Amino acid sequence: QVQLVESGGGLVQPGGSLRLSCAASGFTFSSYGMSWYRQAPGKERELVVGITSTGGFTNYADSVKGRFTISRDNAKNTVYLQMNSLKPEDTAVYYCNARRRTYGGVESFWGQGTQVTVSS
């Protein structure tokens, strides 16, 4: 059974920090690229950042560059999102995603999400 379980969300003041974790199981974690997405009320789910299977390359949405950092620990089957200098517009449900190309298409797994609220 494939599982992606996010944790670390919560309420934080503007300018504060949070670290999200995504624990993976049921698949070969090191063979998948990992990403964090987020979805705010009334908005589409958007890509926050992705990281390749080996951790060699990352890409960030312009809105979070310089503030967020993704990392992965393949030995622990876990991907992290360090969020600093948080802004109210960062408020959203944050989702973990695992993705790889297969012979016939794309294989993609999603976690259930964790709520991040940035408010004074």
Side-chain angles (χ1 to χ4, degrees), residues 7-54:
S7 62
L11 175 64
V12 65
Q13 294 182 351
S17 297
L18 285 173
R19 190 177 80 151
L20 306 184
S21 298
C22 173
S25 61
F27 65 99
T28 305
F29 180 78
S30 61
S31 296
Y32 289 72
M34 300 298 298
S35 298
W36 288 96
Y37 288 74
R38 67 186 182 187
Q39 188 167 27
K43 293 188 175 182
E44 288 192 349
R45 188 174 299 187
E46 65 172 341
L47 176 66
V48 178
V49 60
I51 187 168
T52 54
S53 61
T54 63

Side-chain angles (χ1 to χ4, degrees), residues 91-111:
T91 296
V93 178
Y94 284 71
Y95 297 91
C96 178
N97 174 261
R99 182 185 181 96
R100 70 165 182 166
R101 276 284 175 184
T102 65
Y103 301 119
V106 175
E107 185 177 47
S108 182
F109 307 131
W110 292 94

Side-chain angles (χ1 to χ4, degrees), residues 43-112:
K43 293 188 175 182
E44 288 192 349
R45 188 174 299 187
E46 65 172 341
L47 176 66
V48 178
V49 60
I51 187 168
T52 54
S53 61
T54 63
F57 296 94
T58 58
N59 66 293
Y60 294 85
D62 288 342
S63 59
V64 307
K65 285 180 180 176
R67 300 188 298 120
F68 290 12
T69 304
I70 192 172
S71 61
R72 66 188 295 162
D73 187 339
N74 284 352
K76 294 182 177 180
N77 289 174
T78 303
V79 63
Y80 305 93
L81 183 65
Q82 179 66 46
M83 305 186 294
N84 300 325
S85 302
L86 283 161
K87 304 174 181 180
E89 51 263 45
D90 295 318
T91 296
V93 178
Y94 284 71
Y95 297 91
C96 178
N97 174 261
R99 182 185 181 96
R100 70 165 182 166
R101 276 284 175 184
T102 65
Y103 301 119
V106 175
E107 185 177 47
S108 182
F109 307 131
W110 292 94
Q112 295 300 123

Side-chain angles (χ1 to χ4, degrees), residues 3 10 26 28 104 119:
Q3 287 192 345
T28 305
S119 177

